[in-house]
Amino acid sequence: MAASPSRPGAFHAFTAFALPACFLPALLFCAAGLYFALIASPPDARQGETVRIMYVHVPAAWGAMLVYAALGLTALAGFAWKHVLADVFCAAAAPVGAVLAALCLVTGSLWGKPMWGAWWVWDARLTSMLFLFFLYVGAIALRGAFAHAARGAQASRILLVLGLVNLPIVKFSVDWWNTLHQGESLLRDGGPAIAPEMLWPLALTAAGGFFLCAGLILMRMETLILRSAAR
Amino acid sequence: MSAFCALLLRDFRLLPRRRTEIFLPLLFAFLVVSLFPLALGPDAAGLKNLAPGLLCIAALLTQFLGLERLFADDAESGALDLVALSPLPLSLYALSRMLARGAAQGLPLVLAAPILALMLNMDAEKIPALMAALALVSLCVTLAGGAVAALTLGARGGGGVALPLLLAPLCAPVLIFGSTLAAQGFGTQEGRQAVLYLGSLFFLYLALGPALGAAALRSAVEAS
């Protein structure tokens, strides 16, 4: 059990192995992905060079949703099993998710100006990503709002569970309200509607972003454990 | 269960003594509604189109008013600790506080809705749908907001700043379906869809709000 991540004491042995195992693929995938995205892939027939924003924008959007799902499920599991690391994960991953959501919004805005002619439109996906960002900020703010750290941690986790239930409803209701964003291009019947020479760089940057975020979250978790041990 | 009824009855009996808690939110709603024409212009046709959305926002903001005090008085007086020690489940205690608050702050606004609607030049036949929308919006916001109020209980600065930030994103679906219902009325397909969605949201928050609120109250009691 020396390398098991399930006990805080054994966590350092785990990160000693896991951090290089995350950052090395992150470096490789990001470097290869950026090369293909910026140099070796063709500009889009209609969108021109601006399509290259996609290689950052889409992985950021996926990452923001994936991190929130992981946060909500970990918070829920934390209530069921009261595992110490569940709370450390929630504390460590929330800022990473918030940055991903912000990155998605900023790159989307930069992409929207040349394509749609506006920095911001009240489209369904933009709005639900904005609300996802607000939820991240709320969970981070709530954690720091109490003099008693354990109370803040618990309140933040309850909010994450509430958001986990509420987020699909926000997504659905906003879709019902208004849709302008382009439809699903990747996971749909009849295969991806995206050229293979663009799909490969996207897959590479997405994989790179995934490993980068996993490494950053693990590094933050280790820092938080060390900081609480130092007190 | 009898303890739950007793709590609820106590809150309702106390209502006549807390007249400011009923009339101040109502006055606030009137003020918000009368500020909109100042900002948007007095054009009657324009106001008529905006009225359903404006009234739903007014109902939402009215429910935000003083929400951070929902459990704070009981926490400060020690009543919350006694409830936590009693056999009454904390979720039922939370539910009784939420229902009493929803009635005290939501009902007057629903009853005043026809006047507000006429001030904004809305069609008279849309008023029943507007009242249903405002009632459901108020209840949903109170149930979700009660849980958030329990979360921010004991926060620095009394939770008054953090609460709207946490609650507003959760209220997006309620606002969307509420204003659709108020704008479309019961006669259209969209309006009927919206009232069904709004009703299912109410039951969802009825199940979630008191339960999560109770978890938050439990951790607040343990931390104090």
Side-chain angles (χ1 to χ4, degrees):
Chain A
M1 288 296 283
S4 161
S6 61
R7 285 173 296 140
F11 192 72
H12 304 301
F14 173 73
T15 46
F17 157 78
L19 280 181
C22 283
F23 283 129
L24 215 61
L27 193 69
L28 287 175
F29 281 127
C30 282
L34 284 179
Y35 168 73
F36 283 110
L38 296 179
I39 299 159
S41 73
D44 188 74
R46 267 183 290 170
Q47 307 198 4
E49 300 289 347
T50 59
V51 77
R52 299 185 199 284
I53 296 173
M54 176 185 74
Y55 304 114
V56 178
H57 176 70
V58 173
W62 285 343
M65 290 187 278
L66 186 69
V67 170
Y68 196 89
L71 269 174
L73 291 175
T74 310
L76 204 59
F79 282 115
W81 291 290
K82 308 222 182 301
H83 198 289
V84 197
L85 280 179
D87 187 56
V88 179
F89 177 81
C90 290
V96 175
V99 168
L100 284 172
L103 188 66
C104 174
L105 288 171
V106 170
T107 53
S109 170
L110 291 174
W111 197 5
K113 182 63 184 164
M115 285 304 107
W116 296 336
W119 296 107
W120 183 266
V121 288
W122 288 100
D123 157 71
R125 287 203 197 177
L126 277 78
T127 313
S128 48
M129 184 53 79
L130 184 66
F131 281 127
L132 178 63
F133 176 68
F134 285 150
L135 267 179
Y136 274 124
V137 174
I140 297 167
L142 194 58
R143 181 175 288 274
F146 293 90
H148 198 308
R151 164 94 178 102
Q154 197 150 25
S156 175
R157 281 187 297 156
I158 295 172
L159 184 73
L160 285 171
V161 174
L162 190 60
L164 186 68
V165 180
N166 209 71
L167 211 60
I169 306 172
V170 171
K171 179 99 186 78
F172 163 78
S173 65
V174 172
D175 277 342
W176 194 74
W177 169 63
N178 187 11
T179 290
L180 172 82
H181 201 285
Q182 69 180 42
E184 197 63 61
S185 318
L186 229 51
L187 299 171
R188 58 166 211 172
D189 294 338
I194 180 170
E197 53 268 34
M198 290 185 182
L199 188 58
W200 276 111
L202 182 61
L204 285 171
T205 49
F210 176 82
F211 280 109
L212 184 65
C213 290
L216 284 174
I217 291 171
L218 282 174
M219 208 160 85
R220 283 181 50 82
M221 284 175 78
E222 197 185 19
T223 313
L224 287 172
I225 290 172
L226 287 174
R227 192 185 288 165
S228 68
R231 283 212 185 104
Chain B
M1 204 60 204
S2 63
F4 170 72
C5 294
L7 267 177
L8 202 59
L9 218 62
R10 166 185 169 269
D11 276 332
F12 278 110
R13 282 203 188 114
L14 284 174
L15 280 184
R17 296 193 193 170
R18 298 179 177 171
R19 262 169 244 150
T20 51
E21 279 178 37
I22 299 176
F23 288 108
L24 219 57
L26 194 58
L27 196 66
F28 176 77
F30 267 95
L31 277 174
V32 169
V33 167
S34 55
L35 286 178
F36 280 126
L38 294 184
L40 301 170
D43 168 42
L47 283 179
K48 185 181 181 168
N49 287 334
L50 294 171
L54 298 185
L55 289 174
C56 285
I57 291 178
L60 192 87
L61 293 179
T62 307
Q63 288 299 316
F64 276 35
L65 208 67
L67 193 58
E68 70 277 359
R69 300 299 308 165
L70 184 60
F71 300 108
D73 292 332
D74 281 356
E76 281 158 17
S77 71
L80 183 60
D81 295 314
L82 287 180
V83 174
L85 288 172
S86 77
L88 177 73
L90 266 178
S91 53
L92 283 182
Y93 160 76
L95 179 64
S96 86
R97 297 309 321 260
M98 291 171 189
L99 288 180
R101 184 196 151 83
Q105 294 209 358
L107 205 57
L109 183 63
V110 173
L111 294 178
I115 304 171
L116 291 168
L118 293 178
M119 278 169 73
L120 291 174
N121 201 32
M122 254 180 96
D123 288 333
E125 66 262 29
K126 294 242 177 82
I127 286 179
L130 173 74
M131 289 173 80
L134 292 189
L136 283 168
V137 166
S138 302
L139 278 172
C140 288
V141 175
T142 307
L143 287 167
V148 178
L151 283 177
T152 56
L153 187 59
R156 292 193 191 107
V161 186
L163 204 143
L165 171 73
L166 304 178
L167 186 54
L170 300 176
C171 290
V174 177
L175 192 60
I176 288 172
F177 293 125
S179 53
T180 306
L181 171 61
Q184 304 288 338
F186 289 121
T188 63
Q189 170 115 37
E190 269 193 318
R192 280 197 293 273
Q193 253 181 328
V195 75
L196 290 178
Y197 284 134
L198 211 51
S200 44
L201 278 177
F202 165 70
F203 283 111
L204 179 81
Y205 289 130
L206 188 64
L208 275 181
L212 289 176
L217 287 176
R218 177 78 56 198
S219 87
V221 168
E222 278 164 9
S224 65

